[in-house]
């Protein structure tokens, strides 16, 4: 029985759908601090849950006989910079509560997402390796790197089977992004269809590691289903698919919407993006548990416009 905390977020909505398809709707309990997302309503067990409330989490675990938990609740990079202490408290306290509960309740597995945001401007920015200089410059990145080390600690000290991935920017059509620096790569498709134009908050040659949500969800489940003995680390695995710039995604869109226009008005998020890698080396994930991506920019663009256009 699986519990997803933060099921209403960009990853959660898609992950719950995939887990319910895999394990059966009644075996996946979706929870969020907000009312059920339209894609979740009436499609399986749903509870309102504050990720910071350990007693409420314990109650749900015993009510449903939960054996594994995906903790997705967090404040992302851009939102976090507006209220650093709140971002730290939410991102860290929710994880530390869950790690303790997982050990006490003897949960079989825990998943907690990290991000390429753990890397900073002192990290080599091209083909950034799994192990390298890691000095995050956003509260979100600090909390994600600290969280990775807590996950490794709980695994080494108490044998907790906790697993994690450093997601790149994720692009999806079913669910909206929530306060990230890479959100432009989702907004641009919506704006292209609605207005035929988009003002981008990052400069045109800002390369960032990106991934289509279908790949990210499949990678998450493949990691969670991998035999434990194949996992050489309990820090988060680098995960990668492609890198592109706003200029390149605009060109990919113009193949479908020829007169699509883009202009650039970088804001505070440019500073965040400048400190992140341009591309990621995920050879360790490919070697340890057979990761490989399916979607490139052209395939993703076709799929996004088809699904949003039809909407
Ligand atoms: C963010 N979408 O922008 C998230 C992600 C690598 C980017 O962590 O904060």
């Amino acid at each position: 029985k699986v519990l997803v905390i933060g099921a209403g977020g960009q990853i959660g909505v898609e992950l719950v759908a995939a887990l319910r398809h895999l394990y059966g709707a009644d075996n996946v309990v979706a929870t969020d601090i907000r009312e059920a997302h339209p894609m979740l309503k009436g499609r399986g067990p749903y509870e309102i849950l504050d990720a910071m409330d350990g007693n409420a989490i314990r109650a749900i675990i015993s009510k449903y006989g939960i054996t594994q938990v995906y903790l997705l609740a967090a404040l992302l990079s851009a939102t976090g910079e507006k209220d650093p202490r709140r971002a730290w408290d939410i991102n860290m306290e929710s994880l530390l509560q869950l790690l303790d509960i997982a050990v006490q309740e003897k949960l079989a597995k825990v998943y907690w997402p990290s991000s390429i945001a753990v890397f900073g401007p002192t990290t080599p920015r091209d083909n950034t390796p799994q192990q390298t200089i890691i000095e995050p410059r956003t509260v979100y990145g600090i909390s994600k790197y600290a969280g990775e080390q807590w996950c490794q600690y709980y695994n080494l000290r108490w044998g907790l089977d906790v697993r994690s991935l450093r997601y790149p920017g994720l692009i999806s059509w079913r669910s909206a992004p929530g306060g990230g620096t890479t959100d432009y790569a989702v907004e641009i498709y919506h704006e292209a269809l609605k207005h035929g134009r988009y003002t981008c908050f990052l400069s045109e040659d800002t390369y960032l590691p990106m991934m289509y949500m279908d790949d990210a969800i499949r990678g998450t489940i493949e990691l969670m289903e991998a035999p434990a003995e194949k996992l050489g680390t309990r820090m988060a695995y680098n995960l990668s698919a492609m890198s592109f710039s706003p200029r390149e995604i605009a060109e990919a869109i113009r193949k479908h919407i020829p007169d699509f226009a883009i202009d650039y008005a970088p804001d505070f998020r440019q500073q965040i993006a400048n400190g992140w890698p341009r591309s990621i080396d995920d050879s360790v994930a490919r070697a340890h548990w057979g990761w490989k991506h399916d979607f490139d920019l052209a395939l993703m663009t076709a799929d996004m416009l088809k699904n949003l256009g039809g909407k």
Side-chain angles (χ1 to χ4, degrees):
K1 282 268 192 153
V2 179
L3 168 62
V4 178
I5 303 175
Q10 184 188 13
I11 298 171
V13 168
E14 308 257 4
L15 188 60
V16 166
L19 291 170
R20 285 178 168 165
H21 180 72
L22 189 61
Y23 301 133
D26 287 344
N27 292 320
V28 181
V29 182
T31 68
D32 199 286
I33 198 162
R34 299 161 291 194
E35 286 299 317
H37 183 284
M39 297 283 283
L40 298 175
K41 235 179 193 34
R43 301 183 187 204
Y46 190 89
E47 303 265 359
I48 300 286
L49 172 66
D50 178 345
M52 307 279 273
D53 183 347
N55 292 332
I57 293 171
R58 278 189 183 79
I60 287 181
I61 287 173
S62 57
K63 175 178 177 183
Y64 290 94
I66 297 298
T67 55
Q68 52 181 298
V69 179
Y70 289 71
L71 171 57
L72 306 177
L75 296 189
L76 298 188
S77 61
T79 310
E81 290 308 290
K82 293 172 186 161
D83 192 343
R85 286 299 306 275
R86 181 165 176 264
W88 172 260
D89 290 345
I90 289 176
N91 294 4
M92 293 322 306
E93 188 53 30
S94 58
L95 174 64
L96 293 175
Q97 294 228 46
L98 180 66
L99 291 174
D100 278 338
I101 292 168
V103 171
Q104 289 152 14
E105 305 292 331
K106 299 183 175 43
L107 294 187
K109 282 180 198 168
V110 170
Y111 179 77
W112 185 73
S114 183
S115 162
I116 58 137
V118 301
F119 300 117
T122 55
T123 305
R125 298 190 68 199
D126 296 304
N127 285 321
T128 302
Q130 178 74 32
Q131 289 183 303
T132 181
I133 298 161
I134 301 190
E135 297 171 335
R137 288 283 175 83
T138 59
V139 173
Y140 171 70
I142 293 166
S143 71
K144 286 301 180 183
Y145 194 46
E148 286 191 29
Q149 294 171 79
W150 275 111
C151 291
Q152 177 175 252
Y153 182 82
Y154 271 72
N155 174 260
L156 294 173
R157 177 117 190 236
W158 289 291
L160 180 63
D161 188 346
V162 50
R163 306 183 186 193
S164 186
L165 294 170
R166 288 172 188 158
Y167 291 128
L170 300 182
I171 291 125
S172 58
W173 57 272
R174 289 181 188 82
S175 56
T181 299
T182 57
D183 294 0
Y184 89 87
V186 178
E187 293 169 4
I188 193 168
Y189 289 108
H190 292 268
E191 294 303 305
L193 287 165
K194 262 190 293 197
H195 304 124
R197 56 176 313 288
Y198 178 61
T199 299
C200 184
F201 57 73
L202 296 181
S203 61
E204 63 183 338
D205 291 322
T206 305
Y207 274 84
L208 288 170
M210 297 282 191
M211 182 178 289
Y212 199 35
M213 183 62 79
D214 293 34
D215 275 342
I217 298 302
R218 177 175 53 78
T220 304
I221 293 173
E222 285 174 3
L223 170 68
M224 290 300 275
E225 297 271 316
E229 58 273 9
K230 290 212 168 188
L231 306 183
T233 177
R234 296 299 174 142
M235 300 293 284
Y237 278 99
N238 282 7
L239 204 67
S240 178
M242 53 185 146
S243 292
F244 55 75
S245 63
R247 179 207 303 259
E248 290 180 338
I249 192 172
E251 279 159 18
I253 289 172
R254 273 194 211 99
K255 293 203 172 47
H256 300 262
I257 306 174
D259 54 359
F260 170 66
I262 186 168
D263 56 76
Y264 302 93
D267 66 14
F268 75 101
R269 289 167 284 192
Q270 185 65 49
Q271 173 93 7
I272 296 174
N274 290 344
W276 287 352
R278 280 188 286 267
S279 60
I280 296 288
D281 169 0
D282 61 1
S283 53
V284 176
R286 292 172 191 263
H288 284 191
W289 45 279
W291 162 247
K292 69 165 193 60
H293 72 282
D294 289 335
F295 285 85
D296 62 10
L297 180 54
L299 281 174
M300 174 176 77
T301 299
D303 204 62
M304 280 294 281
L305 293 175
K306 172 168 68 72
N307 286 296
L308 288 176
K311 223 174 176 169

